[in-house]
Each structure stands twice: as C-alpha cells, then as structure tokens.
Amino acid sequence: MPLAAAPRLLAAVLLATAVSACSARYQNTVAVGGDDDDAVCQGRGYAQGSPEYVACRKDRDVQRNAATARADRRQRDLGEYMLNHPERP
C-alpha cells in the first residue's frame, strides 16, 4: 500500500466507526428482562385487550422511557463534567 493512501484509509475507518456508533445510539432499550412486551404481558396471564394487559403494556413503556431518560441524563452529565474539568482526561 502506498503511503499516500494510508491517510485516506484511516479517514475512511474513522468515519465508518463514527457512523456506526451514531446508528446504535437511538435504538430502543429493553425494559425488563429483554423480552417482547406482548410476550411478557401474555405470559403473565393477561388476555390481549383486557385492562390488565393494557396496564402491563403501559408499565413496560413507562419503564423503557425512564431508562432512556436516565441514559440521556447520564450522557449529558458526563459531557458537562468533561467540559467543566478539562484537566482530567
């Protein structure tokens, strides 16, 4: 490989890494146990469409949204910490 192509290859690898990291950032987090919400609620014995089933699905959605909010808050706090403490890498 010629030396002139090395910087281009390095730039392509870094760009691919950055793009792949961004694509995974906003995937939905798993609420509890890593299972499908429908399977979990039906596994608890709730008939699809019943009030208990609807409440189960809402609870799972709330848990998922809370986990996403916590992760976003931690990321923001880390960024603020890094900005306010440049002496610590």
Side-chain angles (χ1 to χ4, degrees), residues 1-36:
M1 171 185 346
L3 289 177
R8 289 182 185 165
L9 179 63
L10 180 62
V13 169
L14 291 175
L15 181 64
T17 304
V19 169
S20 67
C22 291
S23 68
R25 172 67 178 107
Y26 290 104
Q27 291 179 351
N28 287 338
T29 56
V30 178
V32 177
D35 297 327
D36 180 33

Side-chain angles (χ1 to χ4, degrees), residues 38-54:
D38 184 55
V40 169
C41 292
Q42 286 185 2
R44 292 180 181 167
Y46 305 137
Q48 196 169 17
S50 68
E52 294 84 9
Y53 177 84
V54 172

